[in-house]
Amino acid sequence: MLVAIDGPAGSGKSSAAQAIAGRLGLVNLNTGATYRAVALVALREEMDLGNEGALIAVAARMELSADGVSYGGAHILEDALRSPEVSAAASKVSAHPGLRRVLVERQRDAARKAEVSGGGAVVEGRDIGTVVLPEADLKIFLSASAEERARRRALQTGRESELERISKAMHNRDKRDSEREASPLKPAPDAVVLDTTSLSLESVVSRVVELANERRNNVRKSS
Ligand code: DC
């Protein structure tokens, strides 16, 4: 079973995807980590973020699994991927179509491996339902108001006093992610769109688990 979860920053994707994967007994794959990892290496090596060829060479050495991302065989620590600099750079590098093609292949490989070995995956990102796994059994698109998403991000990172700055950075990232030509952020035509602005994490998780169980039963009945 493959569940695609897409949505903008602060829509609650990561927390929801982790909990949903746990309840369904599936592997959780976070595709944003692959773009973040390319951005991290590019920043560390002082590469030009506009040099797609150099970024592709970095992407070719990335691997994605349930444990996160590795580069050249070495695991990249999750904390290193979460800084505001890496977030902004990840959004910039993710606009390169050639780089996306390489990372999308890595993401599909990871999902296929999870299907073979663990029964499936909950795959989280921006273009999972539209590009990475258009064949997913269930596609969810999470949204929330811009104010609520900035508030959540500020709380999550312990930087409540920087709400205005976070809100601005998020706005710029949303704009870049949804206006880019290559795989812009948008719901797949057959996605279930959930506005999480006034929903608790638990209600989002139970709703998606319910939908996934319905789909799983339908698949069993028809096979
Ligand atoms: O989900 P995230 O915030 O960790 O993603 C970081 C950046 O990577 C985000 O600005 C857009 C990009 N991204 C993408 O273009 N496609 C994905 N499937 C996942 C993330």
Side-chain angles (χ1 to χ4, degrees):
M1 165 150 224
L2 293 173
V3 179
I5 303 203
D6 291 301
S11 58
K13 267 183 326 210
S14 297
S15 319
Q18 257 175 35
I20 294 160
R23 298 248 189 114
L24 293 171
L26 303 177
V27 162
N28 178 208
L29 297 172
N30 176 353
T31 62
T34 60
Y35 294 95
R36 286 176 181 271
V38 171
L40 176 73
V41 173
L43 290 176
R44 277 189 185 157
E45 298 187 2
E46 295 181 10
M47 288 162 58
D48 172 3
L49 299 183
N51 183 346
E52 189 178 25
L55 297 173
I56 288 177
V58 172
R61 304 184 65 206
M62 293 286 164
E63 285 296 335
L64 174 66
S65 77
D67 299 328
V69 190
S70 60
Y71 175 60
H75 182 71
I76 299 188
L77 291 178
E78 173 70 23
D79 277 357
L81 299 177
R82 294 278 136 209
S83 72
E85 294 73 28
V86 169
S87 300
S91 172
K92 286 181 192 154
V93 304
S94 70
H96 292 295
L99 173 79
R100 297 194 69 85
R101 277 193 289 277
V102 175
L103 290 181
V104 163
E105 272 317 306
R106 294 289 185 281
Q107 296 159 10
R108 285 188 183 135
D109 285 348
R112 274 186 218 120
K113 270 190 203 144
E115 265 199 304
V116 172
S117 61
V122 176
V123 187
E124 160 209 345
R126 301 285 193 294
D127 59 343
I128 310 304
T130 49
V131 176
V132 181
L133 301 170
E135 77 284 15
D137 302 285
L138 175 62
K139 299 176 188 175
I140 304 289
F141 190 92
L142 298 182
S143 67
S145 72
E147 295 74 28
E148 176 61 14
R149 294 190 291 111
R151 196 189 67 82
R152 285 178 192 168
R153 186 47 55 91
L155 274 177
Q156 198 181 42
T157 51
R159 297 201 305 262
E160 287 94 322
S161 58
E162 296 174 47
L163 187 59
E164 207 169 309
R165 195 193 56 71
I166 291 175
S167 187
K168 211 163 151 203
M170 201 175 244
H171 172 79
N172 290 340
R173 196 143 77 93
D174 282 354
K175 194 164 149 55
R176 235 186 340 248
D177 292 347
S178 35
E179 290 180 359
R180 68 177 179 227
E181 265 177 48
S183 320
L185 170 69
K186 64 163 191 251
D190 53 346
V192 177
V193 180
L194 288 178
D195 181 349
T196 70
T197 307
S198 51
L199 292 180
S200 67
L201 176 62
E202 175 49 33
S203 31
V204 174
V205 172
S206 8
R207 179 74 190 120
V208 178
V209 168
E210 197 177 83
L211 288 167
N213 282 330
E214 276 170 21
R215 301 280 157 108
R216 192 136 65 172
N217 290 337
N218 289 344
V219 170
R220 281 201 189 117
K221 270 185 217 150
S222 62
S223 61

